[in-house]
Each structure stands twice: as structure tokens, then as C-alpha cells.
Amino acid sequence: MEETPERLAGKPSWLLTQLAVHAHRLASEGFAEAGARGYHYRVLAALDEFGVASQAELGRRCNMDRSDVVAAVTELAERGFVERTQDPQDRRRNMVTLTELGRTQLCRLDRALDQAQEDLLGPLAAQDRQTLTRLLGVLLTHHQRA
Amino acid sequence: MEETPERLAGKPSWLLTQLAVHAHRLASEGFAEAGARGYHYRVLAALDEFGVASQAELGRRCNMDRSDVVAAVTELAERGFVERTQDPQDRRRNMVTLTELGRTQLCRLDRALDQAQEDLLGPLAAQDRQTLTRLLGVLLTHHQRA
DNA sequence: GCGCCAACGTTGGCGCCACCAACATACATG
DNA sequence: CATGTATGTTGGTGGCGCCAACGTTGGCGC
């Protein structure tokens, strides 16, 4: 393997984005075995944690564009993981509910993702993992406000 | 802003990929002002640091697919930032050389990227920045072998 | 009540990045 | 010389993030 330019290798943004590629690949491989993508997991996770929600709400929680939520919910609904019903109180909204099947799928994806975390952080000691997670958390919350 | 599911917010891979989105956005905005993308910067940086190189070599150094190198080099050549000439020793290869104009562009992109780093790591103290960079580096080198 | 603005869902599209398959050419190795 | 392998090139795919536009529906001020 040829060396990568120092200009890149030293920059946090390079390390971050390149490592994110690996993280994404690890997670995606697991998801793919269940026929899912990241967007599906996000939606299922949000529904499980906060219960029935409108699509707009899901978008805000999961950091997804409204239009992408549409596609994800449609795909999840086709496989019976969620149900999409019109909100009688507000006829603009779709209420998306998690089904039993969806809960099962979420568990499956959870296992895959846990494995991915393990693979991702493999070479790090528990202490370092915690430090890394903390620092990433600080930065992310900071950038999500602005 | 609604809260994001704990299932996501706690996972390093989530923090990593989401923060990478911000990092990528910060860098891209800077690059865009110079009419460039990440791929262009990578190629220019590799050429500056290691001198003339074949496209395959560039791909290995910059972690890019051969086909993507073709496009990037073509675009850079159109704007006079690099020159593509056939290697007389090995007529399969294209030797890609950085021009003076290309060096100027690289400087410009460098400034933009430095600014992005600053914005990205804004809320972190020098000590924490160093720790973060180190941990990311450890993980990245680990995953690049496998 | 009416008009205006905001929110929602939906469609269609775009850009960046990562990746793959296939091919022709040219080199390397047996 | 035959075989295999590296290179450049073309064309295509998929995930993710994002935007513009439209029709529908609610909410609010007047």
C-alpha cells in the first residue's frame, strides 16, 4: 500500500471522513444481510423509542430530509415493518406506527450494528473508546446547533 | 429540534458518520468556492507531495477507485492544474504532473481546508484535539490494513 | 368568514463519494 | 510464445444528503 499524502493523513477531517467510510461499510454490510439500509434503521429506532410519529417528526429526529423519509417509510411499509395511516386530528399528517414485525427487524439490525461497533473500535481499549465517544459527542452536538 | 433516538446517539458509528457529514460539508463549502471537490484536492496533494505519478498510483495513495481518478484528472487537466502525458517507459501509464497553476490551486484549497479544520474542532481544547486525532489515526490505520 | 402564511407529504431531480464490471492495451513471467 | 496481470477507460449502481416545486391542510390575524 503506497503512503497517503501527509497533507491528508494529518487532517482531522480526513481521518474522520475516511474512518466514517469504514464505519458505514461495516454497518451497511450488516444491514444488507437483512435487506436494509441506514435510513431504515434510523426510522425504526425512532419509532421504537418515541412511539407513533409523523413523517416530518421522524425526519427531524433522524436528521433526514422529508423526501427521504417518504421513501424509507414506503419501503418499510411494503415489507410490513411499519404502518402508515392518516392522522384524523390533522389530515396533513401520516402517523407511522411500528409493527411487531418491525420490532423484530429492528432487533436484527441492532445485533448487526452492535457487531459493527465492535469491529470498528476493535483495537481500542475501553478507556479510549469512552474518550473517543465523548469527544465526538461534544463536536456533534456543537455542530448540530449551528 | 426533536431529540434523536438514544439507539443512535450513543453509537460511535453514528457519531462518526454524522460528524463526518459536517466535516465534509465544511470542507466542501471551501472547495466549492474554488470550483473544486474533495477528489481534486486529494489528487493535487498527492502530486505535490510525491511528484509525478501514474493514475493507478494516485488511486492507491488517495484511496480512490481508478475510474474516479480518470474523471478527477480529466477535470484538473481541463483547467490546467495538471498535465497528463504518456509514460515512454511503460506505454500503459499516464504520467500526471502538477503545473504551477495547479500548485496555486492547491494552496488555495489548503487555506480553505485549514479553515474547515478550525471550524470543525472549534469547541475542543488543543489537548482534546490531539487526543481525538490520535485515536482516529489508530483506528484508521487499523482498518486500512484489513 | 376570509386571506395569508406555515406545515406536511409527495414527486423529481442533483451532487458527492464509493464501488463494480467489462474491455483493450501493454507489460511481465512462466 | 502463452499466460497472467497492471493500466486506463467507459458506463453504470447505490447510499446519503439536499433542494425546488406542488397540492393539501391547519392555524392565525384581520
PDB file of all heavy atoms in Angstrom, chain C residues 16-30:
ATOM      1  P    DC C  16     -20.341  17.870  -7.115  1.00  0.00           P
ATOM      2  OP1  DC C  16     -19.548  19.089  -6.833  1.00  0.00           O
ATOM      3  OP2  DC C  16     -20.265  17.175  -8.415  1.00  0.00           O
ATOM      4  O5'  DC C  16     -20.007  16.809  -5.977  1.00  0.00           O
ATOM      5  C5'  DC C  16     -20.119  17.197  -4.625  1.00  0.00           C
ATOM      6  C4'  DC C  16     -19.939  15.967  -3.767  1.00  0.00           C
ATOM      7  O4'  DC C  16     -21.040  15.078  -3.975  1.00  0.00           O
ATOM      8  C3'  DC C  16     -18.679  15.181  -4.104  1.00  0.00           C
ATOM      9  O3'  DC C  16     -17.866  15.130  -2.943  1.00  0.00           O
ATOM     10  C2'  DC C  16     -19.180  13.803  -4.544  1.00  0.00           C
ATOM     11  C1'  DC C  16     -20.579  13.751  -3.956  1.00  0.00           C
ATOM     12  N1   DC C  16     -21.563  12.911  -4.704  1.00  0.00           N
ATOM     13  C2   DC C  16     -22.226  11.875  -4.038  1.00  0.00           C
ATOM     14  O2   DC C  16     -21.976  11.663  -2.851  1.00  0.00           O
ATOM     15  N3   DC C  16     -23.127  11.136  -4.713  1.00  0.00           N
ATOM     16  C4   DC C  16     -23.388  11.392  -5.996  1.00  0.00           C
ATOM     17  N4   DC C  16     -24.296  10.637  -6.622  1.00  0.00           N
ATOM     18  C5   DC C  16     -22.719  12.444  -6.697  1.00  0.00           C
ATOM     19  C6   DC C  16     -21.821  13.175  -6.012  1.00  0.00           C
ATOM     20  P    DC C  17     -16.355  14.675  -2.975  1.00  0.00           P
ATOM     21  OP1  DC C  17     -15.659  15.364  -1.877  1.00  0.00           O
ATOM     22  OP2  DC C  17     -15.860  14.756  -4.351  1.00  0.00           O
ATOM     23  O5'  DC C  17     -16.489  13.133  -2.576  1.00  0.00           O
ATOM     24  C5'  DC C  17     -17.197  12.786  -1.412  1.00  0.00           C
ATOM     25  C4'  DC C  17     -17.538  11.325  -1.420  1.00  0.00           C
ATOM     26  O4'  DC C  17     -18.574  11.052  -2.381  1.00  0.00           O
ATOM     27  C3'  DC C  17     -16.393  10.380  -1.776  1.00  0.00           C
ATOM     28  O3'  DC C  17     -16.118   9.594  -0.645  1.00  0.00           O
ATOM     29  C2'  DC C  17     -16.915   9.557  -2.955  1.00  0.00           C
ATOM     30  C1'  DC C  17     -18.429   9.728  -2.825  1.00  0.00           C
ATOM     31  N1   DC C  17     -19.205   9.573  -4.073  1.00  0.00           N
ATOM     32  C2   DC C  17     -20.216   8.611  -4.139  1.00  0.00           C
ATOM     33  O2   DC C  17     -20.431   7.907  -3.154  1.00  0.00           O
ATOM     34  N3   DC C  17     -20.936   8.485  -5.277  1.00  0.00           N
ATOM     35  C4   DC C  17     -20.681   9.271  -6.322  1.00  0.00           C
ATOM     36  N4   DC C  17     -21.418   9.125  -7.424  1.00  0.00           N
ATOM     37  C5   DC C  17     -19.651  10.262  -6.290  1.00  0.00           C
ATOM     38  C6   DC C  17     -18.938  10.384  -5.145  1.00  0.00           C
ATOM     39  P    DA C  18     -14.838   8.651  -0.600  1.00  0.00           P
ATOM     40  OP1  DA C  18     -14.437   8.488   0.807  1.00  0.00           O
ATOM     41  OP2  DA C  18     -13.881   9.130  -1.605  1.00  0.00           O
ATOM     42  O5'  DA C  18     -15.460   7.263  -1.084  1.00  0.00           O
ATOM     43  C5'  DA C  18     -16.365   6.603  -0.230  1.00  0.00           C
ATOM     44  C4'  DA C  18     -16.919   5.376  -0.928  1.00  0.00           C
ATOM     45  O4'  DA C  18     -17.682   5.769  -2.074  1.00  0.00           O
ATOM     46  C3'  DA C  18     -15.869   4.382  -1.423  1.00  0.00           C
ATOM     47  O3'  DA C  18     -16.117   3.138  -0.816  1.00  0.00           O
ATOM     48  C2'  DA C  18     -16.068   4.365  -2.945  1.00  0.00           C
ATOM     49  C1'  DA C  18     -17.526   4.787  -3.074  1.00  0.00           C
ATOM     50  N9   DA C  18     -17.864   5.396  -4.366  1.00  0.00           N
ATOM     51  C8   DA C  18     -17.250   6.460  -4.971  1.00  0.00           C
ATOM     52  N7   DA C  18     -17.777   6.792  -6.125  1.00  0.00           N
ATOM     53  C5   DA C  18     -18.813   5.883  -6.280  1.00  0.00           C
ATOM     54  C6   DA C  18     -19.768   5.706  -7.304  1.00  0.00           C
ATOM     55  N6   DA C  18     -19.829   6.459  -8.405  1.00  0.00           N
ATOM     56  N1   DA C  18     -20.662   4.701  -7.156  1.00  0.00           N
ATOM     57  C2   DA C  18     -20.602   3.941  -6.045  1.00  0.00           C
ATOM     58  N3   DA C  18     -19.747   4.015  -5.017  1.00  0.00           N
ATOM     59  C4   DA C  18     -18.878   5.016  -5.199  1.00  0.00           C
ATOM     60  P    DC C  19     -15.108   1.918  -1.029  1.00  0.00           P
ATOM     61  OP1  DC C  19     -15.284   1.037   0.137  1.00  0.00           O
ATOM     62  OP2  DC C  19     -13.788   2.456  -1.392  1.00  0.00           O
ATOM     63  O5'  DC C  19     -15.698   1.175  -2.309  1.00  0.00           O
ATOM     64  C5'  DC C  19     -17.054   0.743  -2.310  1.00  0.00           C
ATOM     65  C4'  DC C  19     -17.446   0.313  -3.685  1.00  0.00           C
ATOM     66  O4'  DC C  19     -17.613   1.440  -4.558  1.00  0.00           O
ATOM     67  C3'  DC C  19     -16.434  -0.578  -4.412  1.00  0.00           C
ATOM     68  O3'  DC C  19     -16.897  -1.907  -4.354  1.00  0.00           O
ATOM     69  C2'  DC C  19     -16.407  -0.048  -5.843  1.00  0.00           C
ATOM     70  C1'  DC C  19     -17.592   0.908  -5.864  1.00  0.00           C
ATOM     71  N1   DC C  19     -17.443   2.011  -6.844  1.00  0.00           N
ATOM     72  C2   DC C  19     -18.345   2.100  -7.901  1.00  0.00           C
ATOM     73  O2   DC C  19     -19.250   1.259  -7.985  1.00  0.00           O
ATOM     74  N3   DC C  19     -18.212   3.090  -8.806  1.00  0.00           N
ATOM     75  C4   DC C  19     -17.219   3.976  -8.675  1.00  0.00           C
ATOM     76  N4   DC C  19     -17.129   4.933  -9.585  1.00  0.00           N
ATOM     77  C5   DC C  19     -16.287   3.914  -7.607  1.00  0.00           C
ATOM     78  C6   DC C  19     -16.427   2.916  -6.706  1.00  0.00           C
ATOM     79  P    DC C  20     -16.002  -3.133  -4.835  1.00  0.00           P
ATOM     80  OP1  DC C  20     -16.033  -4.131  -3.748  1.00  0.00           O
ATOM     81  OP2  DC C  20     -14.716  -2.606  -5.325  1.00  0.00           O
ATOM     82  O5'  DC C  20     -16.790  -3.698  -6.094  1.00  0.00           O
ATOM     83  C5'  DC C  20     -18.160  -3.383  -6.271  1.00  0.00           C
ATOM     84  C4'  DC C  20     -18.577  -3.643  -7.707  1.00  0.00           C
ATOM     85  O4'  DC C  20     -18.578  -2.398  -8.443  1.00  0.00           O
ATOM     86  C3'  DC C  20     -17.653  -4.602  -8.451  1.00  0.00           C
ATOM     87  O3'  DC C  20     -18.428  -5.651  -9.013  1.00  0.00           O
ATOM     88  C2'  DC C  20     -16.994  -3.739  -9.521  1.00  0.00           C
ATOM     89  C1'  DC C  20     -18.007  -2.613  -9.709  1.00  0.00           C
ATOM     90  N1   DC C  20     -17.390  -1.320 -10.137  1.00  0.00           N
ATOM     91  C2   DC C  20     -17.876  -0.676 -11.284  1.00  0.00           C
ATOM     92  O2   DC C  20     -18.799  -1.185 -11.909  1.00  0.00           O
ATOM     93  N3   DC C  20     -17.300   0.489 -11.673  1.00  0.00           N
ATOM     94  C4   DC C  20     -16.292   1.008 -10.960  1.00  0.00           C
ATOM     95  N4   DC C  20     -15.756   2.154 -11.369  1.00  0.00           N
ATOM     96  C5   DC C  20     -15.793   0.362  -9.785  1.00  0.00           C
ATOM     97  C6   DC C  20     -16.367  -0.787  -9.412  1.00  0.00           C
ATOM     98  P    DA C  21     -17.701  -6.959  -9.604  1.00  0.00           P
ATOM     99  OP1  DA C  21     -18.405  -8.142  -9.064  1.00  0.00           O
ATOM    100  OP2  DA C  21     -16.241  -6.829  -9.463  1.00  0.00           O
ATOM    101  O5'  DA C  21     -18.054  -6.807 -11.159  1.00  0.00           O
ATOM    102  C5'  DA C  21     -19.325  -6.325 -11.533  1.00  0.00           C
ATOM    103  C4'  DA C  21     -19.386  -6.169 -13.040  1.00  0.00           C
ATOM    104  O4'  DA C  21     -18.930  -4.846 -13.410  1.00  0.00           O
ATOM    105  C3'  DA C  21     -18.512  -7.158 -13.815  1.00  0.00           C
ATOM    106  O3'  DA C  21     -19.194  -7.548 -14.992  1.00  0.00           O
ATOM    107  C2'  DA C  21     -17.259  -6.341 -14.102  1.00  0.00           C
ATOM    108  C1'  DA C  21     -17.842  -4.945 -14.313  1.00  0.00           C
ATOM    109  N9   DA C  21     -16.927  -3.848 -14.003  1.00  0.00           N
ATOM    110  C8   DA C  21     -16.092  -3.739 -12.924  1.00  0.00           C
ATOM    111  N7   DA C  21     -15.396  -2.621 -12.911  1.00  0.00           N
ATOM    112  C5   DA C  21     -15.798  -1.955 -14.054  1.00  0.00           C
ATOM    113  C6   DA C  21     -15.429  -0.718 -14.606  1.00  0.00           C
ATOM    114  N6   DA C  21     -14.539   0.092 -14.061  1.00  0.00           N
ATOM    115  N1   DA C  21     -16.032  -0.361 -15.769  1.00  0.00           N
ATOM    116  C2   DA C  21     -16.931  -1.180 -16.318  1.00  0.00           C
ATOM    117  N3   DA C  21     -17.360  -2.373 -15.883  1.00  0.00           N
ATOM    118  C4   DA C  21     -16.748  -2.698 -14.740  1.00  0.00           C
ATOM    119  P    DA C  22     -18.604  -8.729 -15.903  1.00  0.00           P
ATOM    120  OP1  DA C  22     -19.754  -9.523 -16.393  1.00  0.00           O
ATOM    121  OP2  DA C  22     -17.478  -9.381 -15.207  1.00  0.00           O
ATOM    122  O5'  DA C  22     -18.011  -7.905 -17.143  1.00  0.00           O
ATOM    123  C5'  DA C  22     -18.843  -6.976 -17.799  1.00  0.00           C
ATOM    124  C4'  DA C  22     -18.026  -6.179 -18.783  1.00  0.00           C
ATOM    125  O4'  DA C  22     -17.256  -5.190 -18.071  1.00  0.00           O
ATOM    126  C3'  DA C  22     -17.016  -7.025 -19.580  1.00  0.00           C
ATOM    127  O3'  DA C  22     -17.296  -6.904 -20.960  1.00  0.00           O
ATOM    128  C2'  DA C  22     -15.654  -6.430 -19.232  1.00  0.00           C
ATOM    129  C1'  DA C  22     -16.013  -5.049 -18.704  1.00  0.00           C
ATOM    130  N9   DA C  22     -15.080  -4.528 -17.703  1.00  0.00           N
ATOM    131  C8   DA C  22     -14.654  -5.129 -16.554  1.00  0.00           C
ATOM    132  N7   DA C  22     -13.813  -4.401 -15.848  1.00  0.00           N
ATOM    133  C5   DA C  22     -13.679  -3.247 -16.586  1.00  0.00           C
ATOM    134  C6   DA C  22     -12.930  -2.074 -16.388  1.00  0.00           C
ATOM    135  N6   DA C  22     -12.147  -1.882 -15.334  1.00  0.00           N
ATOM    136  N1   DA C  22     -13.031  -1.109 -17.321  1.00  0.00           N
ATOM    137  C2   DA C  22     -13.827  -1.301 -18.381  1.00  0.00           C
ATOM    138  N3   DA C  22     -14.582  -2.357 -18.678  1.00  0.00           N
ATOM    139  C4   DA C  22     -14.457  -3.299 -17.733  1.00  0.00           C
ATOM    140  P    DC C  23     -16.546  -7.915 -21.995  1.00  0.00           P
ATOM    141  OP1  DC C  23     -17.548  -8.253 -23.012  1.00  0.00           O
ATOM    142  OP2  DC C  23     -15.820  -8.962 -21.248  1.00  0.00           O
ATOM    143  O5'  DC C  23     -15.448  -6.973 -22.660  1.00  0.00           O
ATOM    144  C5'  DC C  23     -15.844  -5.726 -23.224  1.00  0.00           C
ATOM    145  C4'  DC C  23     -14.645  -4.840 -23.389  1.00  0.00           C
ATOM    146  O4'  DC C  23     -14.195  -4.386 -22.102  1.00  0.00           O
ATOM    147  C3'  DC C  23     -13.442  -5.533 -24.011  1.00  0.00           C
ATOM    148  O3'  DC C  23     -13.371  -5.192 -25.394  1.00  0.00           O
ATOM    149  C2'  DC C  23     -12.231  -4.982 -23.241  1.00  0.00           C
ATOM    150  C1'  DC C  23     -12.839  -4.034 -22.220  1.00  0.00           C
ATOM    151  N1   DC C  23     -12.211  -4.120 -20.878  1.00  0.00           N
ATOM    152  C2   DC C  23     -11.440  -3.042 -20.415  1.00  0.00           C
ATOM    153  O2   DC C  23     -11.290  -2.059 -21.144  1.00  0.00           O
ATOM    154  N3   DC C  23     -10.867  -3.129 -19.196  1.00  0.00           N
ATOM    155  C4   DC C  23     -11.043  -4.202 -18.438  1.00  0.00           C
ATOM    156  N4   DC C  23     -10.469  -4.222 -17.243  1.00  0.00           N
ATOM    157  C5   DC C  23     -11.820  -5.309 -18.887  1.00  0.00           C
ATOM    158  C6   DC C  23     -12.382  -5.237 -20.105  1.00  0.00           C
ATOM    159  P    DA C  24     -12.260  -5.908 -26.324  1.00  0.00           P
ATOM    160  OP1  DA C  24     -12.858  -5.992 -27.669  1.00  0.00           O
ATOM    161  OP2  DA C  24     -11.741  -7.117 -25.650  1.00  0.00           O
ATOM    162  O5'  DA C  24     -11.093  -4.823 -26.349  1.00  0.00           O
ATOM    163  C5'  DA C  24     -11.416  -3.455 -26.559  1.00  0.00           C
ATOM    164  C4'  DA C  24     -10.159  -2.619 -26.452  1.00  0.00           C
ATOM    165  O4'  DA C  24      -9.790  -2.513 -25.052  1.00  0.00           O
ATOM    166  C3'  DA C  24      -8.949  -3.221 -27.169  1.00  0.00           C
ATOM    167  O3'  DA C  24      -8.203  -2.173 -27.782  1.00  0.00           O
ATOM    168  C2'  DA C  24      -8.153  -3.892 -26.044  1.00  0.00           C
ATOM    169  C1'  DA C  24      -8.476  -3.003 -24.856  1.00  0.00           C
ATOM    170  N9   DA C  24      -8.469  -3.710 -23.577  1.00  0.00           N
ATOM    171  C8   DA C  24      -9.043  -4.914 -23.291  1.00  0.00           C
ATOM    172  N7   DA C  24      -8.880  -5.297 -22.044  1.00  0.00           N
ATOM    173  C5   DA C  24      -8.147  -4.272 -21.472  1.00  0.00           C
ATOM    174  C6   DA C  24      -7.653  -4.074 -20.176  1.00  0.00           C
ATOM    175  N6   DA C  24      -7.828  -4.936 -19.178  1.00  0.00           N
ATOM    176  N1   DA C  24      -6.956  -2.943 -19.951  1.00  0.00           N
ATOM    177  C2   DA C  24      -6.777  -2.064 -20.945  1.00  0.00           C
ATOM    178  N3   DA C  24      -7.202  -2.143 -22.207  1.00  0.00           N
ATOM    179  C4   DA C  24      -7.885  -3.283 -22.407  1.00  0.00           C
ATOM    180  P    DT C  25      -6.916  -2.597 -28.728  1.00  0.00           P
ATOM    181  OP1  DT C  25      -6.900  -1.661 -29.863  1.00  0.00           O
ATOM    182  OP2  DT C  25      -6.891  -4.061 -28.935  1.00  0.00           O
ATOM    183  O5'  DT C  25      -5.695  -2.249 -27.775  1.00  0.00           O
ATOM    184  C5'  DT C  25      -5.554  -0.926 -27.300  1.00  0.00           C
ATOM    185  C4'  DT C  25      -4.538  -0.893 -26.185  1.00  0.00           C
ATOM    186  O4'  DT C  25      -4.981  -1.746 -25.115  1.00  0.00           O
ATOM    187  C3'  DT C  25      -3.153  -1.424 -26.589  1.00  0.00           C
ATOM    188  O3'  DT C  25      -2.253  -0.343 -26.603  1.00  0.00           O
ATOM    189  C2'  DT C  25      -2.813  -2.447 -25.498  1.00  0.00           C
ATOM    190  C1'  DT C  25      -3.840  -2.169 -24.423  1.00  0.00           C
ATOM    191  N1   DT C  25      -4.228  -3.331 -23.577  1.00  0.00           N
ATOM    192  C2   DT C  25      -3.858  -3.341 -22.262  1.00  0.00           C
ATOM    193  O2   DT C  25      -3.220  -2.447 -21.743  1.00  0.00           O
ATOM    194  N3   DT C  25      -4.266  -4.454 -21.556  1.00  0.00           N
ATOM    195  C4   DT C  25      -4.989  -5.524 -22.043  1.00  0.00           C
ATOM    196  O4   DT C  25      -5.296  -6.473 -21.327  1.00  0.00           O
ATOM    197  C5   DT C  25      -5.338  -5.452 -23.439  1.00  0.00           C
ATOM    198  C7   DT C  25      -6.111  -6.553 -24.064  1.00  0.00           C
ATOM    199  C6   DT C  25      -4.945  -4.366 -24.132  1.00  0.00           C
ATOM    200  P    DA C  26      -0.760  -0.579 -27.185  1.00  0.00           P
ATOM    201  OP1  DA C  26      -0.249   0.750 -27.590  1.00  0.00           O
ATOM    202  OP2  DA C  26      -0.787  -1.700 -28.147  1.00  0.00           O
ATOM    203  O5'  DA C  26       0.061  -1.066 -25.912  1.00  0.00           O
ATOM    204  C5'  DA C  26       0.207  -0.172 -24.811  1.00  0.00           C
ATOM    205  C4'  DA C  26       0.792  -0.918 -23.652  1.00  0.00           C
ATOM    206  O4'  DA C  26      -0.102  -1.983 -23.278  1.00  0.00           O
ATOM    207  C3'  DA C  26       2.144  -1.580 -23.943  1.00  0.00           C
ATOM    208  O3'  DA C  26       3.108  -1.053 -23.047  1.00  0.00           O
ATOM    209  C2'  DA C  26       1.905  -3.066 -23.719  1.00  0.00           C
ATOM    210  C1'  DA C  26       0.662  -3.065 -22.836  1.00  0.00           C
ATOM    211  N9   DA C  26      -0.177  -4.261 -22.946  1.00  0.00           N
ATOM    212  C8   DA C  26      -0.768  -4.758 -24.064  1.00  0.00           C
ATOM    213  N7   DA C  26      -1.490  -5.845 -23.858  1.00  0.00           N
ATOM    214  C5   DA C  26      -1.352  -6.071 -22.499  1.00  0.00           C
ATOM    215  C6   DA C  26      -1.868  -7.067 -21.648  1.00  0.00           C
ATOM    216  N6   DA C  26      -2.662  -8.061 -22.077  1.00  0.00           N
ATOM    217  N1   DA C  26      -1.541  -6.999 -20.342  1.00  0.00           N
ATOM    218  C2   DA C  26      -0.744  -5.998 -19.927  1.00  0.00           C
ATOM    219  N3   DA C  26      -0.198  -4.998 -20.635  1.00  0.00           N
ATOM    220  C4   DA C  26      -0.545  -5.095 -21.920  1.00  0.00           C
ATOM    221  P    DC C  27       4.656  -1.323 -23.336  1.00  0.00           P
ATOM    222  OP1  DC C  27       5.373  -0.066 -23.102  1.00  0.00           O
ATOM    223  OP2  DC C  27       4.768  -2.037 -24.616  1.00  0.00           O
ATOM    224  O5'  DC C  27       5.040  -2.328 -22.159  1.00  0.00           O
ATOM    225  C5'  DC C  27       4.904  -1.889 -20.824  1.00  0.00           C
ATOM    226  C4'  DC C  27       4.683  -3.078 -19.905  1.00  0.00           C
ATOM    227  O4'  DC C  27       3.642  -3.920 -20.434  1.00  0.00           O
ATOM    228  C3'  DC C  27       5.901  -3.980 -19.722  1.00  0.00           C
ATOM    229  O3'  DC C  27       6.387  -3.808 -18.409  1.00  0.00           O
ATOM    230  C2'  DC C  27       5.359  -5.392 -19.983  1.00  0.00           C
ATOM    231  C1'  DC C  27       3.857  -5.206 -19.905  1.00  0.00           C
ATOM    232  N1   DC C  27       3.054  -6.179 -20.697  1.00  0.00           N
ATOM    233  C2   DC C  27       2.366  -7.193 -20.035  1.00  0.00           C
ATOM    234  O2   DC C  27       2.430  -7.279 -18.800  1.00  0.00           O
ATOM    235  N3   DC C  27       1.626  -8.071 -20.763  1.00  0.00           N
ATOM    236  C4   DC C  27       1.564  -7.948 -22.092  1.00  0.00           C
ATOM    237  N4   DC C  27       0.822  -8.823 -22.764  1.00  0.00           N
ATOM    238  C5   DC C  27       2.247  -6.907 -22.781  1.00  0.00           C
ATOM    239  C6   DC C  27       2.982  -6.046 -22.051  1.00  0.00           C
ATOM    240  P    DA C  28       7.684  -4.588 -17.932  1.00  0.00           P
ATOM    241  OP1  DA C  28       8.234  -3.867 -16.761  1.00  0.00           O
ATOM    242  OP2  DA C  28       8.538  -4.862 -19.106  1.00  0.00           O
ATOM    243  O5'  DA C  28       7.074  -5.970 -17.437  1.00  0.00           O
ATOM    244  C5'  DA C  28       6.317  -6.014 -16.237  1.00  0.00           C
ATOM    245  C4'  DA C  28       6.090  -7.464 -15.829  1.00  0.00           C
ATOM    246  O4'  DA C  28       5.216  -8.094 -16.798  1.00  0.00           O
ATOM    247  C3'  DA C  28       7.375  -8.292 -15.797  1.00  0.00           C
ATOM    248  O3'  DA C  28       7.396  -9.058 -14.605  1.00  0.00           O
ATOM    249  C2'  DA C  28       7.287  -9.177 -17.031  1.00  0.00           C
ATOM    250  C1'  DA C  28       5.790  -9.314 -17.224  1.00  0.00           C
ATOM    251  N9   DA C  28       5.392  -9.489 -18.615  1.00  0.00           N
ATOM    252  C8   DA C  28       5.801  -8.768 -19.709  1.00  0.00           C
ATOM    253  N7   DA C  28       5.263  -9.154 -20.844  1.00  0.00           N
ATOM    254  C5   DA C  28       4.439 -10.210 -20.468  1.00  0.00           C
ATOM    255  C6   DA C  28       3.593 -11.049 -21.213  1.00  0.00           C
ATOM    256  N6   DA C  28       3.423 -10.936 -22.530  1.00  0.00           N
ATOM    257  N1   DA C  28       2.915 -11.999 -20.538  1.00  0.00           N
ATOM    258  C2   DA C  28       3.077 -12.099 -19.208  1.00  0.00           C
ATOM    259  N3   DA C  28       3.847 -11.362 -18.408  1.00  0.00           N
ATOM    260  C4   DA C  28       4.507 -10.428 -19.109  1.00  0.00           C
ATOM    261  P    DT C  29       8.723  -9.872 -14.194  1.00  0.00           P
ATOM    262  OP1  DT C  29       9.379  -9.198 -13.094  1.00  0.00           O
ATOM    263  OP2  DT C  29       9.507 -10.154 -15.422  1.00  0.00           O
ATOM    264  O5'  DT C  29       8.064 -11.222 -13.678  1.00  0.00           O
ATOM    265  C5'  DT C  29       6.689 -11.481 -13.928  1.00  0.00           C
ATOM    266  C4'  DT C  29       6.466 -12.926 -14.333  1.00  0.00           C
ATOM    267  O4'  DT C  29       5.956 -12.964 -15.682  1.00  0.00           O
ATOM    268  C3'  DT C  29       7.724 -13.779 -14.328  1.00  0.00           C
ATOM    269  O3'  DT C  29       7.544 -14.934 -13.498  1.00  0.00           O
ATOM    270  C2'  DT C  29       7.938 -14.179 -15.784  1.00  0.00           C
ATOM    271  C1'  DT C  29       6.539 -14.036 -16.370  1.00  0.00           C
ATOM    272  N1   DT C  29       6.573 -13.650 -17.796  1.00  0.00           N
ATOM    273  C2   DT C  29       5.712 -14.279 -18.671  1.00  0.00           C
ATOM    274  O2   DT C  29       4.913 -15.125 -18.344  1.00  0.00           O
ATOM    275  N3   DT C  29       5.803 -13.855 -19.975  1.00  0.00           N
ATOM    276  C4   DT C  29       6.675 -12.898 -20.478  1.00  0.00           C
ATOM    277  O4   DT C  29       6.685 -12.601 -21.663  1.00  0.00           O
ATOM    278  C5   DT C  29       7.553 -12.294 -19.516  1.00  0.00           C
ATOM    279  C7   DT C  29       8.535 -11.242 -19.950  1.00  0.00           C
ATOM    280  C6   DT C  29       7.454 -12.694 -18.232  1.00  0.00           C
ATOM    281  P    DG C  30       8.899 -15.875 -13.360  1.00  0.00           P
ATOM    282  OP1  DG C  30       9.059 -16.177 -11.931  1.00  0.00           O
ATOM    283  OP2  DG C  30      10.038 -15.315 -14.120  1.00  0.00           O
ATOM    284  O5'  DG C  30       8.388 -17.179 -14.113  1.00  0.00           O
ATOM    285  C5'  DG C  30       7.266 -17.909 -13.589  1.00  0.00           C
ATOM    286  C4'  DG C  30       6.702 -18.836 -14.658  1.00  0.00           C
ATOM    287  O4'  DG C  30       6.243 -18.043 -15.765  1.00  0.00           O
ATOM    288  C3'  DG C  30       7.725 -19.795 -15.257  1.00  0.00           C
ATOM    289  O3'  DG C  30       7.769 -21.021 -14.514  1.00  0.00           O
ATOM    290  C2'  DG C  30       7.166 -20.036 -16.665  1.00  0.00           C
ATOM    291  C1'  DG C  30       6.484 -18.720 -16.993  1.00  0.00           C
ATOM    292  N9   DG C  30       7.292 -17.829 -17.831  1.00  0.00           N
ATOM    293  C8   DG C  30       8.310 -16.997 -17.426  1.00  0.00           C
ATOM    294  N7   DG C  30       8.833 -16.307 -18.399  1.00  0.00           N
ATOM    295  C5   DG C  30       8.118 -16.703 -19.524  1.00  0.00           C
ATOM    296  C6   DG C  30       8.233 -16.296 -20.868  1.00  0.00           C
ATOM    297  O6   DG C  30       9.011 -15.472 -21.362  1.00  0.00           O
ATOM    298  N1   DG C  30       7.308 -16.961 -21.675  1.00  0.00           N
ATOM    299  C2   DG C  30       6.403 -17.887 -21.232  1.00  0.00           C
ATOM    300  N2   DG C  30       5.597 -18.422 -22.160  1.00  0.00           N
ATOM    301  N3   DG C  30       6.275 -18.278 -19.981  1.00  0.00           N
ATOM    302  C4   DG C  30       7.165 -17.642 -19.176  1.00  0.00           C
TER     303       DG C  30
END
